[in-house]
Amino acid sequence: MADKYTDFVSRGWGRDLAKRLGLPQPVTLRRHEPGAPLVPGPVLLVGAGPGADALETALKGWDVEVLRDLGETHDGGAAAASSGAPAARAGAGKGGARLGAIVLALDGIARPEDLSGLFLAAGRHLRSLAPSGRVVTVSRRSSTADEPAIAAARSGVEGALRSLARELRNGATGNGILLAEGVPVDAPSALGALRFLLSGRAAYVDGQFLTVGTAKGELPSDPEKPLAGKVAVVTGAARGIGAAIARTLARDGAKLVVVDVPAAGDALAKVANEVRGTALQLDITRPDAGERILEHALHRHGGLDILVHNAGITRDKLLANMDAAKWDAVVAVNLAAQLRINDALLASDKLGEGFRIVSVASTSGIAGNRGQTNYAASKAGVMGMVRSTAARLAATGGTANAVAPGFIETEMTARIPLGMREVGRRINSLQQGGQPVDVAEAIGFLASDAAGGISGNVLRVCGQYWMGQ
Amino acid sequence: MADKYTDFVSRGWGRDLAKRLGLPQPVTLRRHEPGAPLVPGPVLLVGAGPGADALETALKGWDVEVLRDLGETHDGGAAAASSGAPAARAGAGKGGARLGAIVLALDGIARPEDLSGLFLAAGRHLRSLAPSGRVVTVSRRSSTADEPAIAAARSGVEGALRSLARELRNGATGNGILLAEGVPVDAPSALGALRFLLSGRAAYVDGQFLTVGTAKGELPSDPEKPLAGKVAVVTGAARGIGAAIARTLARDGAKLVVVDVPAAGDALAKVANEVRGTALQLDITRPDAGERILEHALHRHGGLDILVHNAGITRDKLLANMDAAKWDAVVAVNLAAQLRINDALLASDKLGEGFRIVSVASTSGIAGNRGQTNYAASKAGVMGMVRSTAARLAATGGTANAVAPGFIETEMTARIPLGMREVGRRINSLQQGGQPVDVAEAIGFLASDAAGGISGNVLRVCGQYWMGQ
């Protein structure tokens, strides 16, 4: 769905007009294009120590120009790293190119006072950040620290990053990676998450953290085909976000099984043709839905590696006016069907190693939403399900995660009355709704081998939407 | 600080005008007054089973009229409970009084389908809810469920309740209690939390959950004096939220030590006189601040039971313009001082059993806030500190918790430019800013013996402020 306002104020006299009137000025976001550079300029790496050095090595391995700032001086100067990477000056980079990203290596912080030099160093370079540039923090999870000072410093990163993300403009975003105790900075999923967050794939992910729980996972040999050889099932794939997921996973190399209700059969067949996959017409609330999905995938594609639970419905009413039919239908499709399908698949011994489940939740499930008690119950339920299923899958190297879209431009949101729709799509740090592909890209990452160390996460794809708990 | 707009639109022609123009219509909230009834009408208890019966017993023990709805029929009828409490009809209660609260007993749910009948039963009675009425869910924590279906059902409660809270009007709020595995519905802190959430003390707590982790704690013999005999220290107590905390804890029976910087000595002395406590002029960033607080409390009051870390400062700047002085001052006062003081106190053997720490965090620390990277870092850090300190205190029956205020009407928020201030105070479910006393009441509860089973919580006092992660 096009956002005509964003197109209008992104260029020419529309931009000048919006600026003069003080209107929101969303910009067209940098999104993934095969073959395009990972970041739109050199990466400034802030921080010192083995973690920072490991990040420098990884970035250089991705053909990224790296500048260093040790983050220890407050006077506007910046020290060069021992590794020999050039020191950063404002606006620096070869030929004065703008920075593609600022990466903060914060894995070694041990007390709140350690944050100051590093964040201020990042701050000195913010004006050099390119449009759709990135700020990414790499730090450790707070909850497992047993020293209060360490826990405080680590939590502090989250507050600072979320504030910083709200200060960025021109399509730039701020996100973070939280490493569990003992997981190295260059663990496969830490680097996988870093690549994802730096890239155009994460265009609409803002103000969020990915937690890397283990050193499992594997970076793809071909970054353009991270899902090569995988068989993926996507439910609700006939249109909207589901169709975008199918296209994105296919682009990334997966063989697709697209699932939707028989009534959407024509649209589903078109998507299947487009992605060169197979279509399975199926009501996912059928008791044998899981068995039928498995049978189809095994019979037609010889395996099943990725299951994307995307199918979902809304039946909005204030609770005072809600009837059982509306409530029960939403819970049956959005949650109970996922549970039943998972049970059937996990009971089978035919799944590939490292099976991936990715469910589509919603920011409504996190924050609640007026008129959506049933929908929010189902989507919050999905998040609980994913966390519990993650624990169950851990033994076999499988993962379960969810993405929680905020305001995404789809046929569904296009039906929201104009005034509410304009509010809904502007109350986020990027001042625009996301595109279905933005949700799809996050799912593609979580479904990949690179995310093998990431499980039980709920990743918001919401442009740092205001609504929260 | 008065909110003149709320006064204006709460009554008379101001109310009519606001309604006609479609403006926000906040109402004056029910707040605690000594001797007032716990709830403004009978309590409808939705649900069946031992948990519901135990809640009925507890509510009746508090002189509350209880109606029952088993929540199992969808046809608008309501079945009477086996216990003999009368069945609820719409608008029921003795003489047709409006409902003071709806309490949902959800502790026994085992699959997502179990939510429907119970929430729909609550929905049927929502129009009977009195102004400043309450909806309170009692359910179990999702994260410890090992069955995905149970985890999903439990998480579903959170999405449904948060949505429902956004649908309530006239000062009514919705909140929940999450019980850890094995903690009975009538554990002291579960009942303590229920009393708190039903009461006017929780006027500005909305859309939130309190987690009861253990069966520790003790309900007060006199509910009007839950802090009788306790010695409490409040930092930053010369004005604003800190002074309100001192007054509230004193009203609840505590002996007060009020602490503030020497420059605020006159205001501090006035607060100390008012609460019949003692004043301690102290810069809390001094290395020996903890020792001096302890020495004062022991010497003047013979003990120390409660420490409220309220002192805090802001030095707002966009990170690109931030200097080290601004960043470091905020972290030093808001976070590093708390860590150092806690270390000194916990190293002593002079504290009372069941020592209570309550820190004032902020929704900025949760959601981030433009211009507040330093402040949000410090407040997020406080939350990490509290979770880590909670684990450390568990052995001695102590607890550490935080409250996270949203938009509170203080001298600080009165300095925000008018337009931003109006947005800030309206973007929450109650469409108004909170009062300092609302923060104080939450702290008073967390400091009480009744909250002995609640630790490591961060309770938002924000009227269900929009801003979240």
Side-chain angles (χ1 to χ4, degrees), chain B residues 139-145 151 154-155 158 177-181 211-213:
Chain B
S139 60
R140 291 202 181 273
R141 188 160 59 176
S142 168
S143 61
T144 47
R154 293 179 180 177
S155 285
E158 297 175 48
I177 297 167
L178 300 177
L179 306 168
E181 226 67 49
T211 297
V212 179

Side-chain angles (χ1 to χ4, degrees), chain B residues 40-44 67 91-93 97-102 125-126 128-131 133-134:
Chain B
V43 171
L44 172 71
L67 307 172
R98 304 192 78 177
L99 295 172
I102 300 173
H125 299 282
L126 279 179
S128 308
L129 199 60
R134 299 283 185 262

Side-chain angles (χ1 to χ4, degrees), chain B residues 231-279:
Chain B
V231 178
V233 172
V234 180
T235 66
R239 59 175 62 85
I241 292 174
I245 296 167
R247 289 185 195 107
T248 301
L249 302 190
R251 180 205 66 193
D252 284 356
K255 289 182 279 183
L256 265 290
V257 178
V258 291
V259 179
D260 216 314
V261 289
D266 289 349
L268 185 68
K270 275 185 199 156
V271 173
N273 277 338
E274 192 187 334
V275 302
R276 300 173 183 227
T278 57

Side-chain angles (χ1 to χ4, degrees), chain B residues 98-275:
Chain B
R98 304 192 78 177
L99 295 172
I102 300 173
V103 174
L104 288 92
L106 304 166
D107 55 305
I109 56 171
R111 43 190 213 124
E113 290 84 348
D114 295 342
L115 296 170
S116 168
L118 298 160
F119 272 95
L120 290 169
R124 286 194 296 272
H125 299 282
L126 279 179
R127 288 202 186 78
S128 308
L129 199 60
S132 286
R134 299 283 185 262
V135 176
V136 180
T137 58
V138 181
S139 60
R140 291 202 181 273
R141 188 160 59 176
S142 168
S143 61
T144 47
D146 54 1
E147 276 290 326
I150 300 176
R154 293 179 180 177
S155 285
V157 173
E158 297 175 48
L161 184 278
R162 288 200 162 101
S163 298
L164 173 51
R166 295 192 192 279
E167 297 179 5
L168 299 174
R169 288 293 175 258
N170 287 316
T173 62
N175 294 288
I177 297 167
L178 300 177
L179 306 168
E181 226 67 49
V183 173
V185 164
D186 56 359
S189 288
L191 296 182
L194 178 59
R195 263 195 86 95
F196 168 70
L197 293 172
L198 290 174
S199 77
R201 295 177 193 262
Y204 201 61
V205 177
D206 197 7
Q208 304 307 312
F209 288 84
L210 277 165
T211 297
V212 179
T214 71
K216 289 182 191 164
E218 197 178 335
L219 290 174
S221 51
D222 177 358
E224 297 291 353
K225 296 289 176 197
L227 303 179
K230 305 287 185 185
V231 178
V233 172
V234 180
T235 66
R239 59 175 62 85
I241 292 174
I245 296 167
R247 289 185 195 107
T248 301
L249 302 190
R251 180 205 66 193
D252 284 356
K255 289 182 279 183
L256 265 290
V257 178
V258 291
V259 179
D260 216 314
V261 289
D266 289 349
L268 185 68
K270 275 185 199 156
V271 173
N273 277 338
E274 192 187 334
V275 302

Side-chain angles (χ1 to χ4, degrees), chain A residues 392-420:
Chain A
R392 185 160 292 198
L393 280 168
T396 61
T399 69
N401 292 285
V403 297
F407 188 99
I408 304 295
E409 305 284 352
T410 63
E411 286 173 30
M412 196 164 92
T413 53
R415 285 195 299 267
I416 299 173
L418 179 68
M420 282 176 61

Side-chain angles (χ1 to χ4, degrees), chain A residues 187-283:
Chain A
S189 287
L191 296 183
L194 178 59
R195 264 195 85 95
F196 168 69
L197 293 171
L198 291 173
S199 77
R201 295 176 192 263
Y204 201 61
V205 177
D206 197 8
Q208 305 307 311
F209 288 84
L210 276 165
T211 297
V212 179
T214 70
K216 288 181 190 163
E218 197 177 336
L219 291 175
S221 51
D222 177 359
E224 297 292 353
K225 296 289 175 196
L227 303 179
K230 305 288 185 186
V231 179
V233 171
V234 181
T235 67
R239 61 176 60 84
I241 292 175
I245 296 167
R247 288 184 197 108
T248 302
L249 300 191
R251 180 206 66 195
D252 284 355
K255 288 181 281 182
L256 264 293
V257 178
V258 292
V259 179
D260 216 314
V261 290
D266 289 350
L268 186 69
K270 275 185 202 157
V271 174
N273 277 339
E274 193 187 333
V275 302
R276 300 173 184 226
T278 58
L280 172 60
Q281 293 187 13
L282 175 70
D283 176 349

